[in-house]
Amino acid sequence: MKKYISFFMMIVLIFTIVFTSTGCRPEDVPPAEDPEPGEPIVEGPQVPWGEVPAIEDMIIDSAAWEEEYPLIYQSFLLTARMGDNTVEDSTLGGLHPTDYLEKYPNIKILYEGFGFAKEYYAARGHYYSMEDVINTARPKPGANCLACKTGDYERLFVEHGEDLFLMDFYKTAQEVDHPISCYNCHRNEPEGEIQVTGPHLAVGLTHLEEEPPAGTLACAQCHVEYYFDTETGAVTLPWHNGTGIDEIESYFDEINFADWTHPRTGTPLIKVQHPEFEMYTGSVHDRLGLSCADCHMPTMTEDGEEYVSHWAKSPLKTAEESCGECHRDSEAIITQTEDIQREIDAMQVEVSDLIVQLIEEFADALERRVIDDDEVIDRVRSLHRASQYRWDFVMVENSTGFHNASKARQALERAKEQAEEALDILAEYQ
Ligand code: HEC
Ligand code: HEC
Ligand code: HEC
Ligand code: HEC
């Protein structure tokens, strides 16, 4: 479910490639052609995507649209709601904020030596994006963490260029007045096409064969896997080889990337962020052409007036509007969804038990210095890295497997095999 956690989303975005390769600052980049919907994105850097208004013309405060779009604006404010009594949360979809360290104690060992072992709360609504990133106890590398938290991000990016990424987080956060706002997805034109304001996605899109539908594009600005370029701090989407679980891993392996090293096993590990877009891609619903917004932002009716709900939340709270067009029995489809989540959650816990066992046995063997062959050590580390990466991909994806149950199952099965293979090797050194 919500493994989002405030801040970590940010950790990732990168425009690096573009900027380092061209030496351009955003002001120097000629405005890119806004691609026609459905047209393939042209090769090469796409920063910015669409036309960026002059700083003084940017309408960043959502309240500016309250009068023109009262129903949309009111629904947007509902992202401030926490597990309230009016609308029931689904069992696993969760009350807020859930403390994952308490719920899944294994992650203290899995994420040992990394910020998420200290604090890890479930994601909350968009309204809290700034509050939660500022309050998290986890260290923040720089202002790049703001990329998915605020409607001010594009303004900051235009003002500071690529220097923004490594600017002091807290100082820069003081220049920010708004959490996620209408500007993030619409710039100044709510009636027009969805606009991509996250430069990292503009770059990421150049690696895709097809542009996702508007209601998915908007969310892929933040609900994706990302990492910070180790030199520039640029938020980067690791899609160079594709958006599949194996392709992302192969890219990280090629560039020798690690988010941190496990302090007791020496394994260079990848911390997955919130790969909703990547998990969802290729699912039953994706193949039917449904976008994230179709389920998460259904069309609602109030006093006879229809509007697109902007309360991004669990679609199970609006199962009739979100799913009813195809699944007539709302209760049955909620039960079926929760069955999938229970199954994936149980698998996830089982695999995490195995990886914990692997870490303990490996750390013990290393401490006793009983493995005298470096190749064996490397082999166990690489199995640990691969297994934990797949477990994490499912663990931190916020739908607990629902978005793509078969992909989640496959990843966990592979993770289990990899952990078992490592345990078999270690068994010889008991
Ligand atoms: C077919 C409908 C459907 C589509 C399409 C869909 N989702 Fe979901 N999403 C769900 C359901 C159902 C859940 C689980 C909600 C729950 O557990 O209460 C969920 C959960 C989530 C959550 C966690 C919600 C929470 O309460 O913490 C996020 C975030 C999310 N989805 C984002 C996305 C993104 C981004 C996309 C597009 C890439 C997407 N979803 C596409 C149905 C959908
Ligand atoms: C997280 C991204 C996001 C944010 C933030 C956001 N919107 Fe939207 N908005 C969407 C999407 C997605 C659609 C549906 C577009 C589509 O499917 O083509 C939409 C549609 C709309 C529409 C057209 C509705 C229609 O009937 O076609 C209006 C108007 C609108 N948004 C206004 C706003 C306003 C005002 C705010 C701020 C209070 C806002 N939006 C914030 C993503 C967003
Ligand atoms: C600018 C970045 C950004 C964009 C764009 C964005 N999100 Fe989010 N989303 C976040 C962050 C950050 C959180 C976690 C906020 C927190 O925990 O404080 C979040 C949380 C959520 C949640 C969990 C809410 C809850 O109550 O648990 C859902 C559902 C969600 N987003 C859906 C969407 C959908 C659907 C879209 C596209 C229409 C979208 N988001 C676009 C950044 C974004
Ligand atoms: C545009 C039509 C459509 C919408 C809207 C839709 N679904 Fe589906 N859904 C399907 C189809 C078609 C299938 C595949 C056939 C089947 O298994 O029933 C499916 C399959 C499923 C499955 C079984 C998937 C699996 O992996 O085994 C679940 C659970 C589900 N949908 C839940 C939902 C929920 C929850 C929503 C709303 C948040 C929703 N669907 C919205 C058409 C839709």
Side-chain angles (χ1 to χ4, degrees):
M1 0 237 106
K2 7 211 108 207
K3 317 185 161 188
Y4 233 94
I5 307 285
S6 321
F7 125 101
F8 66 42
M9 322 192 96
M10 314 300 153
I11 304 197
V12 179
L13 325 174
I14 297 199
F15 334 101
T16 323
I17 313 194
V18 176
F19 294 130
T20 46
S21 60
T22 61
C24 278
R25 298 175 74 88
E27 310 90 272
D28 308 329
V29 180
E33 294 268 318
D34 203 332
E36 288 295 313
E39 248 189 38
I41 306 252
V42 290
E43 241 343 277
Q46 290 275 305
V47 183
W49 195 90
E51 267 180 55
V52 182
I55 290 179
E56 62 278 14
D57 297 333
M58 290 178 175
I59 305 173
I60 297 175
D61 192 346
S62 298
W65 300 104
E66 179 175 8
E67 254 175 60
E68 204 166 335
Y69 306 109
L71 291 173
I72 287 179
Y73 180 74
Q74 291 310 323
S75 69
F76 188 65
L77 290 185
L78 291 177
T79 62
R81 279 218 244 182
M82 311 232 272
D84 55 7
N85 299 323
T86 337
V87 186
E88 284 301 310
D89 283 292
S90 71
T91 333
L92 291 168
L95 296 163
H96 308 240
T98 302
D99 184 345
Y100 287 129
L101 295 181
E102 217 171 86
K103 190 166 170 199
Y104 302 110
N106 277 348
I107 67 182
K108 287 184 211 159
I109 293 163
L110 296 162
Y111 297 155
E112 199 173 317
F114 200 55
F116 286 98
K118 298 198 190 93
E119 185 192 279
Y120 196 173
Y121 287 104
R124 299 200 286 169
H126 288 164
Y127 179 87
Y128 296 103
S129 56
M130 275 308 291
E131 192 180 310
D132 287 348
V133 70
I134 289 172
N135 292 339
T136 172
R138 288 190 302 272
K140 289 168 256 312
N144 44 12
C145 290
L146 293 168
C148 285
K149 305 300 182 189
T150 170
D152 288 272
Y153 193 74
E154 188 165 71
R155 174 182 64 74
L156 290 169
F157 187 62
V158 171
E159 279 171 8
H160 303 288
E162 68 199 90
D163 293 344
L164 173 64
F165 307 135
L166 293 177
M167 279 163 50
D168 182 73
F169 172 83
Y170 290 98
K171 260 208 201 136
T172 317
Q174 282 171 3
E175 288 179 45
V176 166
D177 300 325
H178 315 95
I180 292 166
S181 83
C182 318
Y183 190 89
N184 284 95
C185 304
H186 297 297
R187 287 204 180 98
N188 291 350
E189 298 163 62
E191 298 274 6
E193 302 270 326
I194 285 296
Q195 307 222 13
V196 172
T197 58
H200 49 282
L201 179 61
V203 176
L205 286 172
T206 63
H207 301 301
L208 303 188
E209 274 164 30
E210 254 181 81
E211 186 185 313
T216 293
L217 198 59
C219 320
Q221 302 192 84
C222 303
H223 291 264
V224 286
E225 164 64 356
Y226 67 84
Y227 71 100
F228 289 140
D229 182 271
T230 43
E231 273 171 31
T232 63
V235 181
T236 308
L237 309 187
W239 295 350
H240 307 67
N241 297 341
T243 58
I245 297 181
D246 296 346
E247 283 90 10
I248 291 175
E249 177 188 47
S250 74
Y251 172 72
F252 279 139
D253 287 349
E254 272 164 37
I255 63 164
N256 251 324
F257 182 82
D259 282 289
W260 90 110
T261 299
H262 198 281
R264 287 189 291 139
T265 67
T267 310
L269 292 162
I270 299 164
K271 175 73 193 76
V272 186
Q273 312 301 332
H274 19 71
E276 280 81 68
F277 169 76
E278 294 91 336
M279 181 65 87
Y280 180 64
T281 299
S283 66
V284 177
H285 294 108
D286 182 32
R287 281 183 274 127
L288 288 170
L290 284 182
S291 75
C292 318
D294 288 327
C295 290
H296 286 276
M297 299 173 53
T299 297
M300 308 288 288
T301 313
E302 195 161 309
D303 297 333
E305 204 183 321
E306 286 198 343
Y307 68 99
V308 176
S309 169
H310 276 59
W311 180 23
K313 44 94 194 72
S314 165
L316 301 183
K317 292 178 181 176
T318 49
E320 233 162 81
E321 293 84 354
S322 296
C323 330
E325 185 191 329
C326 309
H327 304 287
R328 299 254 178 82
D329 184 344
S330 295
E331 255 171 61
I333 204 61
I334 290 175
T335 306
Q336 206 184 329
T337 299
E338 292 181 343
D339 284 348
I340 292 175
Q341 292 181 321
R342 252 186 290 278
E343 178 209 325
I344 301 292
D345 194 52
M347 263 182 106
Q348 172 273 110
V349 170
E350 189 196 328
V351 172
S352 77
D353 284 344
L354 274 180
I355 306 174
V356 164
Q357 188 191 340
L358 151 60
I359 290 172
E360 296 301 354
E361 289 184 15
F362 191 21
D364 180 61
L366 290 172
E367 203 180 272
R368 291 187 290 118
R369 297 173 186 274
V370 289
I371 314 181
D372 44 18
D373 184 344
D374 283 348
E375 268 177 40
V376 173
I377 294 178
D378 287 349
R379 178 72 191 140
V380 176
R381 283 196 181 129
S382 98
L383 287 164
H384 175 200
R385 170 178 164 101
S387 174
Q388 184 160 332
Y389 161 74
R390 284 180 176 72
W391 161 80
D392 207 13
F393 208 99
V394 179
M395 167 68 193
V396 300
E397 200 282 328
N398 282 282
S399 73
T400 321
F402 168 77
H403 286 146
N404 198 336
S406 56
K407 197 188 274 190
R409 258 180 225 121
Q410 243 175 24
L412 289 173
E413 272 157 19
R414 186 84 189 100
K416 190 174 166 195
E417 286 165 15
Q418 288 165 328
E420 283 170 346
E421 192 184 332
L423 283 166
D424 282 347
I425 298 175
L426 291 168
E428 293 170 29
Y429 298 91
Q430 288 299 325

